[in-house]
Amino acid sequence: MYPFFCMVLNMLILITLWELGLVLLCTAFMIKKCMCMRRGGKQQIYKIIVLCLSLILSFILGGQLSALFVTGRYVDVLTLSNLYSYSDVGWKIVLSSASIILICLGVTLFVAIATKKGRYKHISWPIILYCLVFWCINPQGAIYSFGKTCYGYFDQSFYTPNAKIRKIQQQIYAQNITYNNKFDAQKVMDLRNKNIVVVFAEGFSFQWIDKFNKYKDLTPNLDQFLETSVYFDNYYNHTAATFRGLRGQLTSSYQLRSGYVKAHNGLGQISEAEIKQSLTGNLVSIPHILKNNSYSTYFLSTHPSTHQLNMVLKTLEFDTVFGADSFTHTKQTGKNLTDQQLFSALGDFINNDKLKKPFFIGTYNIGTHLGQNSPDVKYADGSNILLNTIHNFDDAFGKFWQSVKDRKDLVIILTADHAAYPSELYDKTFSTHRKYPVDKIPFAVWYNSVNPTVFDAQGRNSLDFAPTLLQAMGIRQAFNYFLGCSLFSAECSKEFDHIHSEGGGLFLLTPSLRKLDNRNADDKAIIQKIRDFFNLSEDRRFI
């Protein structure tokens, strides 16, 4: 599969370079035409317009080339939506991407200057017409693809919920029970009145664990954790990326937009007050339900307290959301916690025995994010940064597990915010190819007296996380708008737990990963239902 991926990647790179060549031809032609005009203000204005358009197109093509080298795909809506968090991917990817873009801009500027000095002869109109036709009709082209991405991004960003549809959605999905099957989940895993810790591992695919990969001792601790747990095989993430993944699992829902930030200084960014207004109280979350059942709820985030993700988490009604700066022993102001620091803080948090019980704790790490490298533990010779991050996460998680392993009142659940982002390094390292960040993810439950068992989730997804957890905790009566149903139900009565959606433009069926098509009546119907649900998941009254 990987050689085929390389062939497709090389084809896209060649197409992008070909388009860059066409931009350079157009630049030379148009500047040459400007030079044929009478000297004066208009000539200079036209030259500036031509140069600006050429540099914009070169910037786009440079961005597309950098995306191909990093992920094997053109820039998509998910990437565009998360540009504000560029630092999370690591300085090497940022530097290499910036270098490629600067090279493209530099070459274009050089051609413009050389043409102005008369070093190029006249170029005919047919070449320019060919360029325009090529850009417009080539569905594999970089510029055409970027246009589609921009359309999808702005369609998503400026979506406004309809009040009437919202009321209808509330009526359709409102229910007073969290699961509707009679399966005795406590025979498999009894989480009643226990203290729960859920680890949402960043971008973590199931095949990273030793039991399923080709590497030796990459994840010895996770492998042991899995062998002593109840876990679900063939279980997929229902969305990406982190904002949708965490909020979606904690509310069993889809949401349209993927990220929010503090200030109005970039694409799709809204303020903290607007986040509270648009997201608070729309859906019913696990923390909300647990608080009504006498649980204390917390979230430990790897990011500083003012980070946009933490603001979104606060709308889910956790008693407290702790940021990186909440733990003074880290001595890191304005910086993310490393995985070692996060799991060390989590262990101290639990072992200090100052928490009101029973409690529910969620946590999220950043160390396994695309482009990161481990600052601590390395794998083998340390040359593969992806393996380094996985091995470091395993080491940090293993130390945490050992520190709390003797507690009989504690449950540890390992899952992920979403699957690993399908970068070129990921595909090469694990000899696979995926076009989208959807894959099998872990859902493993451990506690002292659990009887290790494997359940086949049959391609169902993380919309089912909330109802499954609540059934194992024995909490059935609770008002909610859950789209998923418990994995303990042999036949789910809902239709979404095989549908992966990244906002409003991409819909995939799991486990086949077939892309849903609006031209198919059944596909169109379920796509419309998800889009209608966005009216409920986000109330944008501030617009």
Side-chain angles (χ1 to χ4, degrees):
M1 195 69 179
Y2 185 69
F4 174 75
F5 168 68
C6 290
M7 181 181 71
V8 173
L9 174 61
N10 291 334
M11 180 187 72
L12 293 177
I13 290 174
L14 287 174
I15 289 175
T16 308
L17 290 173
W18 173 249
E19 290 192 27
L20 180 61
L22 297 180
V23 169
L24 298 179
L25 284 174
C26 284
T27 302
F29 173 79
M30 294 304 296
I31 289 182
K32 194 76 174 179
K33 295 294 289 183
C34 289
M35 292 175 65
C36 295
M37 299 171 60
R38 290 182 180 180
R39 292 183 179 276
K42 285 188 176 181
Q43 185 192 61
Q44 294 303 318
I45 292 173
Y46 288 147
K47 284 181 181 178
I48 292 172
I49 292 173
V50 169
L51 185 58
C52 288
L53 289 174
S54 298
L55 291 175
I56 290 171
L57 290 174
S58 299
F59 182 87
I60 291 171
L61 291 169
Q64 295 287 51
L65 277 174
S66 63
L68 288 173
F69 285 123
V70 173
T71 68
R73 295 175 315 286
Y74 288 133
V75 173
D76 55 19
V77 174
L78 194 61
T79 302
L80 206 58
S81 300
N82 290 298
L83 282 178
Y84 62 85
S85 58
Y86 64 90
S87 58
D88 289 347
V89 302
W91 67 269
K92 287 186 177 180
I93 288 181
V94 174
L95 182 60
S96 62
S97 298
S99 299
I100 293 172
I101 292 172
L102 287 174
I103 289 172
C104 292
L105 292 174
V107 171
T108 303
L109 195 60
F110 172 79
V111 168
I113 293 172
T115 303
K116 186 177 179 181
K117 292 183 177 180
R119 295 183 181 177
Y120 291 126
K121 294 182 179 180
H122 182 73
I123 302 170
S124 65
W125 273 106
I127 292 178
I128 305 306
L129 290 173
Y130 173 75
C131 295
L132 295 174
V133 171
F134 184 86
W135 287 335
C136 292
I137 68 173
N138 180 18
Q140 299 299 325
I143 293 177
Y144 181 89
S145 173
F146 187 76
K148 288 178 61 179
T149 296
C150 286
Y151 173 81
Y153 173 78
F154 286 106
D155 182 56
Q156 169 183 300
S157 299
F158 294 101
Y159 167 86
T160 303
N162 181 293
K164 291 182 179 179
I165 297 178
R166 177 182 173 81
K167 290 182 179 179
I168 294 171
Q169 297 301 295
Q170 288 176 323
Q171 295 171 359
I172 292 174
Y173 296 108
Q175 54 192 329
N176 292 310
I177 57 174
T178 60
Y179 60 92
N180 59 4
N181 64 86
K182 297 181 180 179
F183 182 82
D184 189 356
Q186 280 69 45
K187 289 184 177 179
V188 179
M189 51 184 188
D190 189 353
L191 310 188
R192 290 173 296 183
N193 300 314
K194 291 186 180 293
N195 301 308
I196 311 292
V197 176
V198 180
V199 176
F200 291 99
E202 158 60 36
F204 204 100
S205 286
F206 207 35
Q207 72 179 89
W208 283 6
I209 298 174
D210 280 345
K211 184 178 179 68
F212 309 105
N213 68 45
K214 62 183 179 181
Y215 295 96
K216 183 178 180 180
D217 293 330
L218 176 63
T219 61
N221 294 299
L222 294 177
D223 203 48
Q224 184 182 3
F225 183 83
L226 206 67
E227 291 296 330
T228 55
S229 302
V230 172
Y231 75 86
F232 296 90
D233 197 4
N234 296 314
Y235 174 75
Y236 288 75
N237 58 302
H238 80 281
T239 190
T242 302
F243 286 84
R244 293 192 186 107
L246 292 180
R247 186 171 184 244
Q249 290 183 68
L250 290 168
T251 59
S252 185
S253 69
Y254 296 106
Q255 74 176 59
L256 183 60
R257 293 192 295 173
S258 64
Y260 305 81
V261 297
K262 186 176 182 180
H264 290 279
N265 57 2
L267 290 175
Q269 300 181 355
I270 62 176
S271 68
E272 180 178 4
E274 291 166 340
I275 289 175
K276 291 179 180 178
Q277 188 177 35
S278 63
L279 299 183
T280 301
N282 298 355
L283 300 172
V284 179
S285 67
I286 290 175
H288 175 86
I289 292 173
L290 294 184
K291 285 169 70 174
N292 290 336
N293 284 269
S294 302
Y295 277 78
S296 300
T297 60
Y298 310 92
F299 199 98
L300 274 64
S301 170
T302 190
H303 297 300
S305 296
T306 55
H307 192 276
Q308 55 271 28
L309 176 61
N310 297 4
M311 297 176 192
V312 172
L313 289 169
K314 289 176 183 178
T315 68
L316 297 176
E317 301 182 64
F318 284 98
D319 289 331
T320 309
V321 175
F322 294 96
D325 45 325
S326 302
F327 305 96
T328 55
H329 69 282
T330 63
K331 298 180 181 180
Q332 295 205 45
T333 303
K335 294 184 178 180
N336 297 326
L337 294 176
T338 67
D339 286 5
Q340 296 286 346
Q341 291 171 334
L342 177 68
F343 280 108
S344 175
L346 179 61
D348 293 343
F349 195 60
I350 293 169
N351 288 324
N352 284 339
D353 283 325
K354 294 182 179 179
L355 301 176
K356 183 180 178 182
K357 299 176 182 178
F359 59 74
F360 173 89
I361 302 174
T363 190
Y364 164 77
N365 71 297
I366 196 66
T368 47
H369 196 285
L370 170 68
Q372 293 285 336
N373 195 2
S374 168
D376 301 302
V377 179
K378 310 289 185 182
Y379 180 73
D381 63 0
S383 60
N384 188 311
I385 65 171
L386 175 58
L387 296 181
N388 289 343
T389 61
I390 297 170
H391 192 54
N392 182 57
F393 176 87
D394 174 83
D395 181 80
F397 177 85
K399 290 174 182 175
F400 158 70
W401 185 29
Q402 290 301 321
S403 73
V404 298
K405 204 171 185 180
D406 294 332
R407 302 186 70 102
K408 295 182 179 180
D409 62 341
L410 189 68
V411 176
I412 300 176
I413 299 175
L414 173 66
T415 187
D417 61 341
H418 56 83
Y421 199 84
S423 66
E424 184 181 6
L425 176 60
Y426 171 85
D427 290 324
K428 183 177 181 180
T429 301
F430 290 96
S431 303
T432 185
H433 171 54
R434 291 185 292 112
K435 294 179 65 177
Y436 309 105
V438 53
D439 196 9
K440 294 179 184 179
I441 61 172
F443 183 1
V445 181
W446 174 91
Y447 56 95
N448 254 300
S449 57
V450 72
N451 182 27
T453 311
V454 181
F455 277 85
D456 186 355
Q458 299 179 336
R460 290 163 65 176
N461 64 37
S462 51
L463 285 173
D464 294 345
F465 175 80
T468 303
L469 174 63
L470 292 172
Q471 182 170 6
M473 296 176 73
I475 300 175
R476 187 167 188 261
Q477 300 296 324
F479 179 81
N480 66 86
Y481 295 110
F482 290 171
L483 295 184
C485 49
S486 173
L487 291 169
F488 294 121
S489 173
E491 294 184 1
C492 183
S493 60
K494 301 180 183 179
E495 54 193 330
F496 302 107
D497 69 347
H498 285 277
I499 306 297
H500 172 96
S501 173
E502 295 166 24
L506 177 67
F507 303 89
L508 300 169
L509 182 68
T510 56
S512 68
L513 302 188
R514 177 182 69 83
K515 191 172 181 179
L516 271 60
D517 189 345
N518 253 317
R519 294 170 295 184
N520 178 291
D522 293 337
D523 289 355
K524 184 177 181 179
I526 198 163
I527 288 172
Q528 188 59 52
K529 287 182 179 180
I530 294 173
R531 286 178 172 161
D532 286 342
F533 183 83
F534 293 147
N535 290 274
L536 176 58
S537 67
E538 188 172 333
D539 179 7
R540 299 181 66 184
R541 290 168 291 177
F542 60 87
I543 293 179

